[in-house]
Amino acid sequence: MKAFSYERASSVEAAAKAAAGTRGAKFIAGGTNLLDLMKLQIETPTHLIDVNDLALDKIEATPEGGLRIGALVRNTDLASDERVRRDYGLLSRALLAGASGQLRNKATTAGNLLQRTRCPYFYDTNQPCNKRQPDSGCAAIGGFSRQHAVIGVSDACIATHPSDMAIAMRALDATVETVRPDGTTRRIPIADFHRLPGDTPHVETVLEPGELITAATLPKPVGGKQIYRKVRDRASYAFALVSIGAIVQPDGTGRVAVGGIAHKPWRVEAAEADLPKGAKAVTEKLLAGAHPTEQNAFKVTLVERTLSAVLAEARG
């Protein structure tokens, strides 16, 4: 791990200003992803800004009937919150499907949204990776690609986004709240928050330099049967080959977000109109334009079969 300086932020505004004014600065809260990357020298921040003392750890009702989840709310606390379990069961189930109890006790809402890929070539500093070092190449293309993306890929990157929580947030139409270094705030729909790789896979979100996440807001509950199903190589502590976050209403309509197949949580609203027709019809639109490799082409079938199981469960 390379040397770095450190400070504790006294306010949201001060944290954002400090990050923008210091080249190579990074925010740190739970550190469950960042510290691992620092040890491998994949992330080499020159300055860490500790945001744990900021008052961003509350879950509060909104005037619109939804929930505002502070950026520092720990995954364990969010998953166990009575309101989340009652009205946003998809989110609670997705959180409990991720990582381990120890990690969930430390991991935060904002950190979960900002997780970096678990692509093995990203983690192997002996291999070229455009996410780690822009314009160096992508070792996954032409390499071992079983766990990689099948849609939304580019010639520069085929990595997947690892967050379970983000899949649920996408299905629930969450909004990400931030503060910029100049003190202004903005609200970013979760659909627009994560970027596809394109020619700049190292730019993973639409956040500006120094911009700090302060909360994620959920709209009022939509009801329905809420299911999160995660297919992985082992029963626990593993990232998804495919995951489905679904909200199915009594009339068969609903929402579907998919993990493990793209650089961002994958949802195609136009495909959801076909939910009453079944998984095959939805999958055809959901994965239209997919470009799987020979090794991960099975994911296309796996999405359909997993969605079929989810819909069967929702309909009893």
Side-chain angles (χ1 to χ4, degrees):
M1 185 182 291
K2 293 189 175 182
F4 56 89
S5 53
Y6 170 88
E7 70 172 288
R8 286 182 179 270
S10 58
S11 70
V12 168
E13 294 76 14
K17 188 174 182 179
T22 307
R23 185 179 178 85
K26 289 277 186 180
F27 300 118
I28 187 167
T32 57
N33 190 198
L34 178 59
L35 289 177
D36 283 344
L37 295 174
M38 289 174 65
K39 291 173 183 176
L40 295 170
Q41 295 189 13
I42 295 169
E43 292 273 13
T44 55
T46 60
H47 185 64
L48 288 185
I49 303 166
D50 190 331
V51 297
N52 280 296
D53 289 343
L54 305 183
L56 301 174
D57 59 350
K58 303 292 191 298
I59 304 173
E60 303 168 307
T62 67
E64 296 76 23
L67 283 182
R68 185 176 187 271
I69 302 162
L72 295 177
V73 173
R74 307 294 163 166
N75 287 180
T76 295
D77 296 332
L78 182 57
S80 62
D81 185 89
E82 181 181 352
R83 295 161 294 183
V84 175
R85 294 178 63 189
R86 181 187 66 232
D87 298 327
Y88 306 96
L90 174 58
L91 177 57
S92 182
R93 294 181 180 100
L95 286 162
L96 293 173
S100 65
Q102 295 93 327
L103 287 172
R104 291 194 296 269
N105 288 341
K106 292 293 292 181
T108 63
T109 300
N112 205 307
L113 289 173
L114 295 172
Q115 281 188 81
R116 304 206 69 187
T117 185
R118 264 51 178 199
C119 171
Y121 297 103
F122 173 72
Y123 272 80
D124 185 351
T125 55
N126 293 312
Q127 300 289 336
C129 173
N130 289 317
K131 291 180 76 66
R132 191 179 64 245
Q133 185 178 347
D135 300 321
S136 64
C138 176
I141 297 175
F144 183 70
S145 57
R146 180 174 179 271
Q147 294 183 316
H148 287 77
V150 298
I151 196 164
V153 299
S154 73
D155 291 336
C157 183
I158 59 172
T160 58
H161 184 73
S163 172
D164 292 290
M165 186 195 79
I167 305 304
M169 290 284 196
R170 180 68 180 90
L172 292 165
D173 285 330
T175 300
V176 181
E177 299 181 10
T178 69
V179 170
R180 293 183 175 110
D182 63 3
T184 59
T185 62
R186 64 169 172 160
R187 294 169 55 84
I188 308 167
I190 189 72
D192 302 326
F193 183 76
H194 297 100
R195 292 166 48 111
L196 290 178
D199 296 329
T200 56
H202 61 290
V203 183
E204 298 172 342
T205 71
V206 297
L207 291 177
E208 299 169 2
E211 192 169 7
L212 175 67
I213 296 174
T214 55
T217 303
L218 299 176
K220 64 181 181 181
V222 296
K225 185 76 171 181
Q226 300 191 15
I227 298 170
Y228 187 75
R229 181 165 294 205
K230 183 176 182 179
V231 181
R232 44 191 165 178
D233 284 328
R234 58 177 184 265
S236 66
Y237 200 58
F239 295 96
L241 288 171
V242 163
S243 61
I244 300 284
I247 302 172
V248 183
Q249 302 296 344
D251 63 359
T253 62
R255 306 175 184 177
V256 175
V258 186
I261 64 168
H263 200 257
K264 61 185 289 185
W266 195 255
R267 182 181 172 195
V268 178
E269 282 86 341
E272 295 168 355
D274 286 334
L275 272 171
K277 299 179 182 178
K280 183 176 180 60
V282 175
T283 304
E284 286 178 353
K285 290 184 179 178
L286 188 70
L287 297 184
H291 293 284
T293 68
E294 183 179 348
Q295 296 173 14
N296 66 17
F298 72 92
K299 286 192 176 189
V300 175
T301 303
L302 187 57
V303 169
E304 181 183 336
R305 291 180 178 175
T306 305
L307 179 56
S308 180
V310 166
L311 293 178
E313 180 182 347
R315 294 163 182 163

